[in-house]
Amino acid sequence: MANAHRRVGDQPWVRRSLIGTALLLAMFMLVIPVVVIFAQALSAGWSTFADNVTDQYTLHAIGLTLFVAALTVPLNLVFGTALAWSVTRFHFPGRKLLITLIDIPFAVSPVIAGLLYLLLYGRNGWLGGWLANYDVQLMFSWPGIVMVTVFVTCPFVARELIPLMQQQGSEEEEAGVVLGASGWRIFRKITLPNIKWALIYGVVLTNARAVGEFGAVSVVSGNVRGETNTLPLHVELLYQDYNVVGAFASASLLAAIAMLTLVVKAFVEWRQSRPIVSTPEKEVS
Amino acid sequence: MKQLFKGFALGAALLSAQPALAADRELLNTSYDIARELFAAYNVEFGKHWQEKTGETLEVKQSHAGSSRQAQAIIQGLRADVATFNQVTDIDILHARGGLIPENWAERLPNNSSPYYSTMAFLVRKDNPKNIQNWDDLVREDVALVMPNPKTSGNGRYTYLAALGYAQDEFGDDQASIDEFLSAFLGQVRVFDSGGRGATTTFIERGIGDALLTFESEVLNLADRFEDGEYLVITPSVSFLAEFPVTWIDDYVKQNDTEALAKEYLTHLYSEDSQRLLAGFNYRVHNETVKQENKDRFRDLKLKSIDDIAGGWEKAMADHFASGGKLDQLQRRR
């Protein structure tokens, strides 16, 4: 691999222009937009920024967004782990199909997902009409928002775990069974330590998406300010109100969450790759 | 698990920390996009009125989006107490598809259940260089127009119908001349934006076109916002009566137990103080005193209703805006 790289970069000008182009693109497509978000948010000064962030509706949007994430992440953590466990440790008919089905939320546009939930659980939907008889309203209130967010983010944990657990195989767990450990003990002492970092990585991704989801939430939210308006929806609403500074102030909160996510992600990746880096291979590269 | 509960508690704490939740009563008003400032102001006024009347504190929650989308959400279960829309057809649908309100909803409040109205007017650039005064100036070869697309926006439909209303007055029964006028009019449109705000941006920010055709309320707002004379408002001799219908939603106010409150919320829009507030947002109103106060702002013109121009909304949609309808035929002719 290292040789192949060197061959492409033989001529310095090729290497430099490629690196230059990549840097330039990254600059215009990633760095400048992020800088602009913060610059716009602070364009009218710190006090305006603070006013916008502590606005009653913005605070509510932050609270709702964190609340939705706080419900979504544990749900998908349990679901994703159970799913990865079952498809990598057991063989049963329909296993392959199940692995394919996990990817549906990735394949389907979030807006379509939102509409599907609306058609199913809305007042005129199959289940929604029945639920309405018992005065249960799921759509256009926070349970609906949680439902679509869970749907959109459900593959992340499972997708992180499945390749790792397949690669690790089940020998260690089998040894545990032979030595007479209980199922829970095997999970806690063997499986969990093995998948720990992949699991955290999955959680970080799930959380990032749950906080930032716009399309699906927009369909089922009903846009009631101070009630069903999440932070991404709030950004759009402020922007359409001609309150550009307010919109960017809220957007900067989302960007800050995203950057925090990246830091955690980088740390987790570093932890995951440490055993490999510490081997003698390091000298080769 | 501990973290789970911590997160849950944090979210719940943030949700319940809102002081606004302390109000005795709540009302949900679903409205169209650009009515945010208007209802933000009215809700404060009405809150005072309701407290004086009943002693109860009130919080009015607002939901804003395109009014067709709002109607769809209400039908699918968004439990709004009142709908304040900018298109009659979107309220009709609450009856036709949702069965949530009776068919005669428009008769339940004065003026077709439309506490305020507007019409279609023109915004032109400083000193009106193309001397645009009326609809017949818009078909001149040297005039470029910006308006929302009648296919996708109610705003655009109103402008199209206003032009049709003018042509009907001008040419009477001569259908060929009416068609020719409308075709020439559509031919002068440089940009059809998908919505009203988009058209405004095209005209103001991108500087395209000699005249912007949209709601009078919007062009008056724009003229107010810029320095004196930067943009001028031109009111044509004939235009379309654009009603802003309101209704309470019978099924939901019964479920939410807000019937009296919802009715009062809408009825109070007709009071003199509220009408003055509405006029302040550049909408035309029915109250005679307020009308007199604002007679310089809202110039007299002949207003034609949808019944006058196209025989009702249903017929207008089928004849003019449906696929292959009059609008498509006229645009293809160019």
Side-chain angles (χ1 to χ4, degrees):
Chain A
M1 275 307 276
N3 278 338
H5 274 295
R6 213 157 283 152
R7 223 170 286 144
V8 174
D10 254 343
Q11 285 164 298
W13 66 269
V14 174
R15 200 165 47 195
R16 265 184 228 130
S17 59
L18 279 177
I19 293 173
T21 313
L23 280 178
L24 206 67
L25 279 176
M27 196 73 192
F28 277 98
M29 301 190 70
L30 298 171
V31 180
I32 293 180
V34 173
V35 172
V36 165
I37 289 177
F38 288 97
Q40 284 279 358
L42 296 169
S43 62
W46 277 100
S47 64
T48 317
F49 175 80
D51 286 349
N52 274 306
V53 171
T54 54
D55 170 76
Q56 177 198 340
Y57 294 122
T58 308
L59 282 181
H60 185 277
I62 296 169
L64 180 64
T65 304
L66 293 179
F67 176 71
V68 169
L71 284 181
T72 304
V73 170
L75 271 173
N76 275 333
L77 176 66
V78 173
F79 168 78
T81 313
L83 194 85
W85 168 273
S86 60
V87 299
T88 55
R89 294 294 178 263
F90 304 97
H91 286 265
F92 52 88
R95 186 177 146 270
K96 281 265 158 63
L97 185 69
L98 197 58
I99 296 178
T100 314
L101 285 180
I102 301 170
D103 283 338
I104 283 185
F106 279 164
V108 174
S109 158
V111 177
I112 309 293
L115 280 176
L116 282 175
Y117 273 74
L118 199 55
L119 292 179
L120 198 57
Y121 294 101
R123 197 180 64 98
N124 293 347
W126 296 347
L127 289 165
W130 178 75
L131 287 169
N133 292 335
Y134 300 93
D135 206 26
V136 176
Q137 186 195 358
L138 295 176
M139 296 293 111
F140 308 111
S141 59
W142 67 263
I145 298 176
V146 173
M147 283 161 75
V148 294
T149 311
V150 166
F151 176 83
V152 169
T153 58
C154 82
F156 285 104
V157 170
R159 271 282 148 226
E160 279 304 313
L161 293 185
I162 290 172
L164 181 75
M165 288 172 82
Q166 263 168 349
Q167 187 196 346
Q168 285 174 347
S170 54
E171 287 89 354
E172 291 182 32
E173 275 114 340
E174 278 160 16
V177 172
V178 170
L179 293 171
S182 69
W184 173 240
R185 189 158 179 213
I186 293 173
F187 178 77
R188 217 159 38 96
K189 294 276 180 187
I190 301 171
T191 315
L192 200 56
N194 278 342
I195 62 171
K196 190 168 65 181
W197 292 108
L199 200 61
I200 293 174
Y201 188 46
V203 165
V204 167
L205 288 180
T206 306
N207 186 56
R209 185 65 192 269
V211 167
E213 177 56 29
F214 178 85
V217 172
S218 156
V219 177
V220 301
S221 137
N223 302 83
V224 184
R225 204 182 268 212
E227 194 166 303
T228 60
N229 220 23
T230 62
L231 205 46
L233 299 184
H234 194 60
V235 172
E236 195 210 18
L237 193 146
L238 290 171
Y239 183 71
Q240 287 182 345
D241 259 359
Y242 293 132
N243 183 356
V244 178
V245 173
F248 277 103
S250 293
S252 71
L253 295 177
L254 281 173
I257 295 175
M259 281 155 118
L260 194 70
T261 307
L262 286 183
V263 171
V264 176
K265 178 173 163 280
F267 174 74
V268 171
E269 275 173 350
W270 172 71
R271 280 303 298 253
Q272 264 181 316
S273 61
R274 225 163 39 148
I276 302 165
V277 177
S278 61
T279 60
E281 268 174 63
K282 201 180 173 186
E283 285 156 33
V284 182
S285 66
Chain B
M1 280 313 257
K2 232 182 224 169
Q3 262 163 342
L4 193 163
F5 286 122
K6 246 187 234 165
F8 195 91
L10 178 74
L14 273 164
L15 275 183
S16 56
Q18 305 306 317
L21 288 179
D24 298 333
R25 301 292 299 273
E26 260 185 41
L27 189 80
L28 176 56
N29 176 9
T30 45
S31 197
Y32 53 99
D33 262 329
I34 53 177
R36 280 187 199 106
E37 296 92 344
L38 167 65
F39 282 105
Y42 177 68
N43 289 344
V44 174
E45 289 302 311
F46 181 74
K48 284 183 202 149
H49 168 76
W50 183 255
Q51 195 163 15
E52 269 167 35
K53 202 176 162 188
T54 64
E56 295 168 330
T57 54
L58 170 72
E59 191 201 357
V60 183
K61 298 218 152 132
Q62 288 291 141
S63 165
H64 293 280
S67 74
S68 302
R69 189 176 156 189
Q70 295 290 61
Q72 200 64 38
I74 291 171
I75 291 169
Q76 286 294 353
L78 176 63
R79 264 203 227 164
D81 301 293
V82 298
T84 50
F85 286 174
N86 56 0
Q87 288 193 75
V88 175
T89 41
D90 290 326
I91 294 206
D92 277 335
I93 244 176
L94 297 179
H95 163 74
R97 272 205 229 144
L100 295 162
I101 57 172
E103 193 175 1
N104 68 343
W105 64 267
E107 294 158 24
R108 302 194 294 186
L109 289 166
N111 309 108
N112 261 340
S113 286
S114 173
Y116 54 99
Y117 61 101
S118 191
T119 185
M120 311 317 288
F122 317 152
L123 191 69
V124 299
R125 296 186 192 280
K126 194 172 186 145
D127 300 328
N128 196 2
K130 298 278 170 83
N131 191 27
I132 294 163
Q133 300 299 341
N134 206 347
W135 293 102
D136 52 352
D137 295 315
L138 301 183
V139 299
R140 288 203 321 254
E141 285 290 321
D142 64 324
V143 174
L145 310 176
V146 174
M147 67 180 269
N149 193 341
K151 276 273 172 190
T152 57
S153 99
N155 187 329
R157 266 171 232 152
Y158 291 172
T159 297
Y160 169 91
L161 290 166
L164 174 61
Y166 170 83
Q168 286 168 343
D169 279 13
E170 206 69 359
F171 304 112
D173 290 336
D174 185 358
Q175 190 59 43
S177 299
I178 293 176
D179 286 355
E180 200 177 317
F181 178 84
L182 278 179
S183 180
F185 165 72
L186 293 169
Q188 293 312 112
V189 178
R190 177 77 55 83
V191 178
F192 280 116
D193 274 292
S194 65
R197 280 275 151 108
T200 300
T201 311
T202 302
F203 186 75
I204 307 269
E205 311 280 341
R206 290 168 61 199
I208 294 174
D210 302 306
L212 168 70
L213 317 184
T214 183
F215 282 112
E216 182 191 52
S217 52
E218 175 90 350
V219 295
L220 284 169
N221 280 338
L222 289 168
D224 284 350
R225 185 139 35 93
F226 291 92
E227 268 175 47
D228 265 354
E230 185 73 32
Y231 296 100
L232 296 175
V233 174
I234 306 290
T235 317
S237 64
V238 182
S239 195
F240 182 74
L241 169 67
E243 294 184 306
F244 288 70
V246 301
T247 187
W248 63 86
I249 296 153
D250 297 65
D251 280 24
Y252 294 151
V253 293
K254 283 192 190 97
Q255 279 181 33
N256 300 345
D257 198 21
T258 48
E259 195 163 350
L261 172 61
K263 284 180 184 171
E264 183 65 22
Y265 182 79
L266 298 179
T267 315
H268 190 66
L269 281 167
Y270 293 87
S271 74
E272 190 175 310
D273 286 344
S274 306
Q275 296 266 295
R276 193 167 288 123
L277 183 114
L278 291 162
F281 282 92
N282 291 319
Y283 290 110
R284 292 180 180 236
V285 294
H286 304 285
N287 182 287
E288 285 305 325
T289 321
V290 181
K291 251 184 177 169
Q292 274 305 312
E293 290 165 9
N294 290 286
K295 65 176 190 296
D296 296 336
R297 180 172 280 266
F298 303 116
R299 285 186 38 204
D300 274 338
L301 78 164
K302 181 179 172 188
L303 286 173
K304 297 178 83 174
S305 74
I306 186 66
D307 295 332
D308 299 337
I309 295 173
W313 272 114
E314 215 169 310
K315 203 163 169 323
M317 294 306 283
D319 292 354
H320 292 274
F321 304 114
S323 212
K326 198 87 192 173
L327 177 66
D328 282 350
Q329 293 166 26
L330 291 171
Q331 284 191 299
R332 212 171 295 142
R333 207 189 266 194
R334 290 187 281 128

